[in-house]
Amino acid sequence: METGIWVSLLSALWFGILTSISPCPLATNIAAISYIAKEAHRPAAVLTRALLYAVGRLAAYVILAVIVVTGLLSVPPVARFLERNMNLIIGPLLILVALFLFDVIQFMVPSVGAGVALQNFVKKARWLGPLILGFVFALTFCPVSAGLFFGSLIPLAVQSESRLLVPGIYGVGTALPVAGFAVILSLGVATVASAFQTITKVEFWARRITGAIFVLAGIYLIIRNWPLYVQLFTR
């Protein structure tokens, strides 16, 4: 496998992990897994249901990414435009995503909660419930997760022309922290509280370090492609 695809896969994995531990998804994940655990009295059952929730989130991200990437690459004019101008788009886009990671840019996004109907369904559906809950919650984007998904993963998948592999690795990345919390939750609620505080601190610095790398990479790409920008805007 070429070096470029390995870089894309590792980047997608990191974007997925960072998405899952960003504030909104992290709080949602813990609340949902804790809610699921109320219906189970055995650690093995808690772990299984929480892992099914993680699989539901993974499936939602992968399906959405496949739809978006396939749509972009399947429309000839759009595909040709991206093929010609992707190198020019990536630099400014990285800086824009960095502004979201630094909380410089914020916007209101619709929230999806576990309504009464969904809660009752999760209680009754047993194994299917956590899958549905994970799928629904994954589609609730906050500014940071939206920036990482639409501003980082989608361009990466388009540039790699990967409709499934890159989004799939991203989905795995989003599931890893959830699976970790499932294991921790099976050990006890006090352990979860401690882990939550630790991950919150790690996420703060991970997000800012990633944002700084995005800024540097974006500036580098803009400088490297500056003649192409001049040529584009002076036509």
Side-chain angles (χ1 to χ4, degrees):
M1 198 177 286
E2 297 180 1
T3 302
I5 190 62
W6 279 114
V7 172
S8 297
L9 294 178
L10 290 174
S11 298
L13 182 67
W14 174 242
F15 295 154
I17 293 172
L18 195 57
T19 296
S20 191
I21 66 174
S22 61
C24 297
L26 179 61
T28 302
N29 288 337
I30 294 175
I33 294 175
S34 299
Y35 176 77
I36 291 169
K38 290 180 181 179
E39 300 302 314
H41 305 288
R42 292 169 295 141
V46 173
L47 181 61
T48 301
R49 290 162 64 87
L51 290 178
L52 287 171
Y53 169 80
V55 171
R57 292 189 68 95
L58 186 156
Y61 286 126
V62 171
I63 291 172
L64 181 58
V66 167
I67 291 172
V68 174
V69 173
T70 299
L72 291 174
L73 295 178
S74 299
V75 180
V78 175
R80 287 194 296 269
F81 174 81
L82 292 175
E83 183 179 357
R84 291 195 305 266
N85 299 294
M86 181 58 73
N87 289 336
L88 302 180
I89 296 172
I90 289 295
L93 189 59
L94 286 175
I95 295 176
L96 179 63
V97 174
L99 295 178
F100 283 101
L101 295 178
F102 289 139
D103 293 325
V104 174
I105 298 179
Q106 296 183 346
F107 59 88
M108 298 298 294
V109 292
S111 60
V112 176
V116 175
L118 185 57
Q119 291 179 22
N120 291 334
F121 176 79
V122 172
K123 289 179 181 178
K124 296 176 181 178
R126 297 194 64 193
W127 306 118
L128 183 60
L131 278 170
I132 300 298
L133 193 65
F135 192 94
V136 171
F137 279 173
L139 300 179
T140 303
F141 288 99
C142 67
V144 172
S145 59
L148 286 168
F149 183 85
F150 292 103
S152 298
L153 173 71
I154 296 301
L156 182 65
V158 170
Q159 190 174 37
S160 305
E161 296 187 0
S162 175
R163 292 173 170 83
L164 185 60
L165 184 57
V166 169
I169 295 298
Y170 173 87
V172 171
T174 65
L176 287 177
V178 179
F181 264 104
V183 174
I184 293 171
L185 186 61
S186 67
L187 301 177
V189 177
T191 310
V192 171
S194 176
F196 177 79
Q197 293 177 355
T198 301
I199 290 181
T200 300
K201 294 177 182 178
V202 170
E203 185 276 336
F204 177 87
W205 290 108
R207 181 152 47 95
R208 279 153 180 77
I209 291 172
T210 302
I213 293 173
F214 276 19
V215 169
L216 294 175
I219 292 173
Y220 168 76
L221 291 173
I222 290 174
I223 293 175
R224 190 182 72 174
N225 295 308
W226 187 252
L228 297 177
Y229 287 108
V230 174
Q231 182 180 357
L232 178 65
F233 290 108
T234 55
R235 287 177 182 174

